[in-house]
Amino acid sequence: MSEPGSATLAPGAVIGMLGGGQLARMMALAAFRLGYRVALYDPDRNPPTGDLCPRHFCAAYDDLTALGAFADHCSVVTYEFENIPVATARHLARLVPVRPGPLALERSQDRLAEKSFLQSSGARTAPFFSVETEEELRDALLETGGEGIVKTRRLGYDGKGQVRINDIDSMAQALELIASQPCILEGFVHFDREISVIAARSATGDFRAYDPAENVHEGGILSTSTLPAKIDPALAEQAKSIARGILEALDYCGVMGVEFFVSGRELYVNEIAPRVHNSGHWTEAACLVSQFEQHIRAICGLPLGDPGRHSDCRMENLIGHDVDRAAEFLESGDAMVHLYGKRQVREGRKMGHVTTLFPRRQGR
Amino acid sequence: MSEPGSATLAPGAVIGMLGGGQLARMMALAAFRLGYRVALYDPDRNPPTGDLCPRHFCAAYDDLTALGAFADHCSVVTYEFENIPVATARHLARLVPVRPGPLALERSQDRLAEKSFLQSSGARTAPFFSVETEEELRDALLETGGEGIVKTRRLGYDGKGQVRINDIDSMAQALELIASQPCILEGFVHFDREISVIAARSATGDFRAYDPAENVHEGGILSTSTLPAKIDPALAEQAKSIARGILEALDYCGVMGVEFFVSGRELYVNEIAPRVHNSGHWTEAACLVSQFEQHIRAICGLPLGDPGRHSDCRMENLIGHDVDRAAEFLESGDAMVHLYGKRQVREGRKMGHVTTLFPRRQGR
């Protein structure tokens, strides 16, 4: 393999991660298995990834000196969440390859920009409207049949920063949200199921996608992902093809999660996440190449791996005190348990996940 | 889960590893996935595991101050190779649980003690004789039909410290070896194949074993491990049962590799290794619970996992410049690639391994 800076990073090269939560932790584990080193950049002093990174740049995302030192130390930089400031990514990108590039961050940080981009890339989305005033909200509601979800344009995830409009109380809450920051109104898509595609694109434009997972959310947070999704194979192919269009439109390098609503034979893109994705955690148990390894391969210039799976499966998140159930899964013969090393259990906090394979195939 | 010190270690607890080679590195990856932290003790300044351990105690194995600080820092201590000084393990065991215990180290460090122990535990071995003088060697050779292998009692691995006696030159080399340190003469076992069992025993005496792998060595170094071994299922069960006897006789806690010669319907134990074992690397690709996770579970007081596999497979070591073939396996749809992050390629140095599953079962 070749030297840092050239097309393929050699073992021993340092991958920089912006953000040190469980997604970075899992990417780091995959990086180590391919012989790479990892450096972490996170303003938090004790993030989950800190447990396994000897080199932690603990500084603010606008600390130019720390960013410069971090860039010097790394052969490539990636990120684990989409709310890294775009300015941070742009600054780093002048010093070291940043993959995926800042453009993907920019598109996915603002729901209005994201949905406009998605439509321009040929994907169908729920109807949406920019709403910054009560008047704009009322006008938009006329278009969506009087119902919909008001979402902040920025910094929302896991159902935070959202108000579902269905009565007078919720209207008041929605107006409060709009008064605090720019929002969009999204019309409802009356969907049969939710699926997601974990897609990858290499630095040379090669594309691979795992089969769609069928996802169930509870309280806005992913609860389970099941493979295969109960959809027609042609629809699964169509979902991969839409994902491909999105990654190509962004000249993307790395793994992306693309969430869809399935309504009859129609697919609506709900959201894109320019990173490894919770609904792709099953790949570590059911595939030879997990989404985490796929991402590391892409950003390090290695060939993408086969996204085929050896087993069907269901991934279940362990949220808050769900983690107390880990022992039960550890006893099971069918489950892979993954805990994130978080010391404090809090309601709604993602503590780990479990993937159960089915059916078992070989002797015990 | 409960606090460090009690039966089950809680996530966030620190596992100490003596030795920082690729085996410790792979144990650490498994530990992280179960939410644990890892501290490393290795006199080498840049061992492979150092890449992923923020806390590295870099000191000699007889540095009592450093050992004390290490014990203070850890909730349990384990080791990645059998040549850790027994005195080091005994000293640590007075301060912190050491698993497997020092007894297993003691038994496996000296080939004479090891083979005597194996026979006492009910396992069959090749005939062996303590040889410290030319006279003892000549007497022993009379017993073994004039042929055999002279092996140093201590510090041999991967075929080092061994002389195969088959002519006058080799006799001279053997005498040189005997003059340098205590040895044994081992009679040949004319075997059909070599197999190994990766066995695990929990702190509470629960026992699990993976199906035997069939191993091929080249130049004394493991080349491939294939599952299943081409042996009768009853013989496979017998191998597991012998392994169980060995682990129980040592009141063992953790994973052990037990190597056998298969001769007709007879099993001869060749060697035991009180640690995770190269011939068990396939488990990370073909099982939900790898040997590395199994070891971590055992030493942390978690329930042992199911050793069943979802796929048959072959593991191949990447030794020296074999690592240049990694790219080819990365392109393959059937292989899991594991590189150890070693920067210098040297002849005979284990750089990584690859596990190929067969046959593929599910869509790509």
Side-chain angles (χ1 to χ4, degrees):
Chain A
M1 296 185 190
S2 49
E3 288 304 297
S6 69
T8 298
L9 293 189
V14 177
I15 301 171
M17 307 227 172
L18 295 166
Q22 66 265 15
L23 297 181
R25 187 172 162 118
M26 293 188 267
M27 288 193 286
L29 294 179
F32 293 135
R33 216 176 56 203
L34 290 176
Y36 294 116
R37 289 183 286 167
V38 174
L40 172 63
Y41 195 108
D42 194 321
D44 183 352
R45 288 188 60 169
N46 290 303
T49 310
D51 289 352
L52 41 87
C53 273
R55 198 64 198 271
H56 175 186
F57 294 78
C58 185
Y61 285 122
D62 60 359
D63 181 332
L64 295 184
T65 310
L67 288 172
F70 179 62
D72 277 352
H73 188 69
C74 300
S75 293
V76 65
V77 165
T78 190
Y79 41 87
E80 65 139 21
F81 73 125
E82 58 274 31
N83 292 324
I84 298 286
V86 172
T88 301
R90 288 212 183 283
H91 179 72
L92 284 169
R94 284 189 285 270
L95 306 169
V96 61
V98 174
R99 295 176 176 157
L103 180 63
L105 271 186
E106 200 169 317
R107 288 287 176 271
S108 58
Q109 280 184 2
D110 180 327
R111 285 203 165 83
L112 186 61
E114 180 187 54
K115 286 182 191 295
S116 306
F117 158 71
L118 287 170
Q119 290 199 337
S120 75
S121 83
R124 191 190 306 259
T125 71
F128 63 93
F129 304 87
S130 170
V131 290
E132 301 199 9
T133 64
E134 179 166 353
E135 195 186 351
E136 281 179 351
L137 176 59
R138 292 191 185 282
D139 285 351
L141 281 167
L142 286 178
E143 301 283 334
T144 61
E147 58 179 17
I149 307 177
V150 173
K151 297 180 174 179
T152 58
R153 281 174 55 178
R154 290 182 169 273
L155 291 175
Y157 66 96
D158 283 350
K160 290 165 193 161
Q162 303 195 1
V163 176
R164 173 180 283 258
I165 295 187
N166 44 21
D167 58 17
I168 290 180
D169 279 357
S170 58
M171 188 68 188
Q173 282 170 45
L175 288 172
E176 210 172 297
L177 196 60
I178 289 173
S180 75
Q181 57 186 297
C183 292
I184 61 167
L185 174 74
E186 222 180 87
F188 285 129
V189 173
H190 296 278
F191 58 84
D192 308 313
R193 44 180 42 97
E194 293 180 85
I195 65 168
S196 60
V197 169
I198 306 299
R201 190 163 175 271
S202 74
T204 54
D206 192 20
F207 176 84
R208 302 283 170 94
Y210 296 90
D211 279 347
E214 181 159 342
N215 302 322
V216 174
H217 290 81
E218 279 176 23
I221 303 180
L222 183 68
S223 174
T224 64
S225 296
T226 304
L227 273 288
K230 287 205 190 72
I231 56 171
D232 189 275
L235 209 59
E237 285 311 308
Q238 197 191 328
K240 291 182 190 176
S241 166
I242 293 169
R244 181 175 200 142
I246 294 168
L247 272 66
E248 288 182 350
L250 291 168
D251 192 21
Y252 195 81
C253 177
V255 161
M256 176 184 280
V258 183
E259 292 185 300
F260 296 88
F261 298 131
V262 182
S263 180
R265 306 233 11 116
E266 300 293 347
L267 290 169
Y268 294 82
V269 176
N270 174 38
E271 206 167 271
I272 58 174
R275 52 167 169 82
V276 292
H277 196 255
N278 195 166
S279 71
H281 290 1
W282 63 272
T283 55
E284 92 187 311
C287 304
L288 277 172
V289 175
S290 71
Q291 66 164 345
F292 307 105
E293 178 170 334
Q294 194 74 301
H295 185 74
I296 297 299
R297 286 175 176 232
I299 66 170
C300 293
L302 300 176
L304 295 181
D306 188 321
R309 66 183 180 281
H310 51 70
S311 305
D312 292 338
C313 62
R314 181 172 48 250
M315 188 286 306
E316 192 169 335
N317 269 334
L318 300 177
I319 296 168
H321 279 285
D322 287 352
V323 74
D324 299 337
R325 293 178 57 212
E328 149 200 339
F329 288 106
L330 287 166
E331 298 265 12
S332 145
D334 303 332
M336 178 181 280
V337 176
H338 199 136
L339 303 176
Y340 307 147
K342 297 178 183 175
R343 263 70 103 191
Q344 283 190 307
V345 182
R346 283 198 305 267
E347 203 188 332
R349 192 176 202 203
K350 290 176 178 172
M351 303 298 294
H353 67 268
V354 173
T355 305
T356 304
L357 301 191
F358 43 79
R360 299 303 302 289
R361 290 203 179 76
Q362 204 99 9
R364 305 173 71 106
Chain B
M1 297 184 192
S2 49
E3 287 305 298
S6 70
T8 297
L9 293 189
V14 177
I15 301 170
M17 307 227 171
L18 295 165
Q22 66 265 15
L23 297 181
R25 187 172 162 120
M26 292 189 267
M27 289 194 286
L29 294 180
F32 293 135
R33 215 176 57 201
L34 290 176
Y36 294 116
R37 288 181 288 167
V38 174
L40 172 63
Y41 195 107
D42 193 322
D44 183 351
R45 287 188 62 170
N46 290 304
T49 311
D51 289 352
L52 41 86
C53 273
R55 199 64 197 271
H56 175 188
F57 295 78
C58 185
Y61 284 122
D62 60 359
D63 181 334
L64 295 183
T65 311
L67 288 171
F70 180 62
D72 278 352
H73 188 69
C74 299
S75 293
V76 66
V77 165
T78 191
Y79 42 86
E80 65 137 20
F81 74 124
E82 58 274 29
N83 291 325
I84 298 286
V86 172
T88 300
R90 289 212 183 283
H91 179 72
L92 284 170
R94 285 189 284 270
L95 307 170
V96 62
V98 174
R99 294 175 177 157
L103 180 63
L105 270 186
E106 202 169 317
R107 288 287 176 273
S108 58
Q109 279 184 3
D110 179 327
R111 285 204 165 83
L112 187 61
E114 180 187 53
K115 288 183 191 291
S116 307
F117 158 71
L118 287 170
Q119 291 198 337
S120 74
S121 82
R124 190 191 306 260
T125 70
F128 64 93
F129 304 88
S130 170
V131 290
E132 301 198 10
T133 63
E134 178 166 353
E135 195 185 351
E136 282 179 351
L137 176 58
R138 293 193 185 280
D139 285 351
L141 281 167
L142 286 178
E143 302 283 335
T144 61
E147 58 179 17
I149 308 178
V150 173
K151 297 180 174 180
T152 59
R153 280 174 56 177
R154 293 183 168 272
L155 292 175
Y157 66 97
D158 285 349
K160 291 166 190 161
Q162 304 194 0
V163 176
R164 174 181 283 257
I165 296 188
N166 44 20
D167 57 17
I168 291 180
D169 280 357
S170 56
M171 189 68 187
Q173 283 171 43
L175 289 171
E176 209 171 298
L177 196 58
I178 289 172
S180 74
Q181 58 188 297
C183 291
I184 61 168
L185 174 73
E186 223 180 85
F188 285 130
V189 173
H190 295 277
F191 58 84
D192 308 312
R193 43 178 45 93
E194 294 180 86
I195 65 168
S196 60
V197 168
I198 306 300
R201 190 163 174 272
S202 75
T204 55
D206 192 20
F207 176 83
R208 304 283 171 93
Y210 296 90
D211 279 347
E214 181 158 343
N215 302 322
V216 175
H217 290 81
E218 280 177 23
I221 302 180
L222 183 67
S223 175
T224 64
S225 294
T226 304
L227 273 289
K230 286 204 191 74
I231 56 171
D232 189 274
L235 210 60
E237 285 312 307
Q238 198 191 328
K240 291 183 190 177
S241 167
I242 293 168
R244 182 176 200 142
I246 294 168
L247 272 65
E248 288 181 351
L250 291 169
D251 192 21
Y252 195 82
C253 178
V255 160
M256 177 185 279
V258 183
E259 293 184 300
F260 297 87
F261 298 130
V262 182
S263 180
R265 301 224 26 104
E266 301 293 347
L267 289 169
Y268 295 82
V269 176
N270 174 36
E271 205 168 271
I272 58 174
R275 52 167 169 80
V276 292
H277 196 256
N278 194 166
S279 72
H281 290 1
W282 62 273
T283 57
E284 95 188 308
C287 304
L288 277 172
V289 175
S290 71
Q291 68 164 344
F292 307 105
E293 177 170 334
Q294 193 74 302
H295 185 75
I296 297 298
R297 285 176 176 232
I299 66 170
C300 293
L302 299 176
L304 295 182
D306 187 322
R309 66 183 179 280
H310 52 69
S311 306
D312 292 338
C313 61
R314 180 171 49 250
M315 187 285 306
E316 190 169 336
N317 269 334
L318 300 176
I319 296 167
H321 280 285
D322 287 352
V323 74
D324 299 337
R325 291 179 56 211
E328 150 200 338
F329 289 106
L330 286 167
E331 299 264 12
S332 145
D334 303 333
M336 179 182 280
V337 177
H338 199 137
L339 303 176
Y340 307 148
K342 297 178 183 175
R343 261 72 101 193
Q344 283 189 306
V345 182
R346 283 198 303 268
E347 202 189 334
R349 191 175 201 201
K350 291 177 179 172
M351 302 299 294
H353 66 267
V354 173
T355 305
T356 304
L357 301 192
F358 42 79
R360 302 301 304 289
R361 290 203 179 76
Q362 203 98 12
R364 306 172 73 106

